[in-house]
Amino acid sequence: MARAAAIALAVTASCSGLVWTAVSLTGNSADAKSPAAPCSYTPTGGKKSVGIPAFDAKTAARPYEAKLATNMGTVTIEALTGNAPCATNSFSFLARKGYFDGSECHRVTTQGIFVLECGDPAGEGKADPGYFFRDENLDGAKYSAGTVAMSKAVPGRNGSQFFITYADPQYRMQPGWTPFARVVDGLDVLKKIAENGTRDGSTDGRPKEAVIIKSVRVR
């Protein structure tokens, strides 16, 4: 859900208020199909590559929790390894490599959809980790409060970026982003970040107070 790629939220001022239009950029129809097993990670030559994840169906299915320690507090998520093995395997790989450490969450939204978006070490919402993989777990996907899902720097390509919803969206979001985890602790941290608003005072922008991921620890 990178700012320029995953959801473009067009806000039009009118006498009746704000009209929100959600545009899903998810590539072609094949993007919504489950990836072949084992998961395929395609190299892209990204600037900050830490390698390409290996995939072992047995180890990838093991459940895990990840603690995202930020300067605003800690958020703990539970990986949905059974439903999104490619995404959870990738997230665990990047976390263990320290890929997220020291990165800044680049987007918070406070109207329409309620998300904090992170995962780009440059803090711009554009980078990839040196590879991409396709969507999974989209059938019936919903993005209620506590959902952790992949966002996309380029339509049809998942990499390192992800978003966390801190409240239920005001409208039904199309199932275009792979849900791969859920928040089990720390939703209050996300709400506090959102309450601070954005740096430019808009409803969709960089958090007013910088949100830095100090570390992501998988257990």
Side-chain angles (χ1 to χ4, degrees):
M1 192 196 304
R3 190 183 184 100
I7 294 181
L9 288 177
V11 185
T12 305
S14 70
C15 59
S16 61
L18 295 177
V19 179
W20 287 76
T21 302
V23 180
S24 176
L25 301 177
T26 58
N28 55 39
S29 60
D31 186 48
K33 296 179 180 179
S34 298
C39 296
S40 175
Y41 302 102
T42 304
T44 63
K47 292 182 179 180
K48 188 180 178 181
S49 175
V50 291
I52 307 296
F55 183 83
D56 181 291
K58 292 182 180 180
T59 58
R62 294 174 184 169
Y64 70 80
E65 286 188 348
K67 287 187 175 294
L68 285 68
T70 81
N71 60 318
M72 303 292 284
T74 299
V75 178
T76 303
I77 65 175
E78 179 181 60
L80 305 176
T81 54
N83 296 328
C86 299
T88 54
N89 183 62
S90 171
F91 186 85
S92 175
F93 170 80
L94 293 174
R96 294 177 190 280
K97 291 286 187 177
Y99 183 86
F100 302 112
D101 297 359
S103 63
E104 180 178 351
C105 295
H106 58 274
R107 183 190 186 198
V108 66
T109 61
T110 60
Q111 189 169 339
I113 60 172
F114 305 99
V115 305
L116 177 70
E117 189 172 0
C118 313
D120 175 2
E124 297 177 354
K126 299 177 182 179
D128 68 60
Y131 62 87
F132 74 87
F133 58 97
R134 299 177 70 183
D135 286 333
E136 58 189 334
N137 194 32
L138 292 186
D139 289 345
K142 297 180 180 180
Y143 305 95
S144 55
T147 299
V148 189
M150 297 303 303
S151 52
K152 306 172 188 181
V154 176
R157 296 186 175 195
N158 296 301
S160 62
Q161 296 182 61
F162 60 93
F163 66 89
I164 310 175
T165 59
Y166 62 87
D168 294 342
Q170 292 178 322
Y171 55 80
R172 183 179 180 276
M173 295 170 62
Q174 294 299 314
W177 304 275
T178 294
F180 70 93
R182 63 185 184 90
V183 175
V184 294
D185 189 44
L187 202 60
D188 57 324
V189 173
L190 301 170
K191 291 180 178 179
K192 180 181 177 182
I193 292 170
E195 287 173 0
N196 288 336
T198 63
R199 193 168 298 178
D200 62 6
S202 70
T203 58
D204 183 350
R206 191 173 293 276
K208 184 174 183 179
E209 185 175 346
V211 180
I212 308 299
I213 297 178
K214 296 180 178 180
S215 65
V216 179
R217 297 294 175 258
V218 174
R219 65 178 185 180

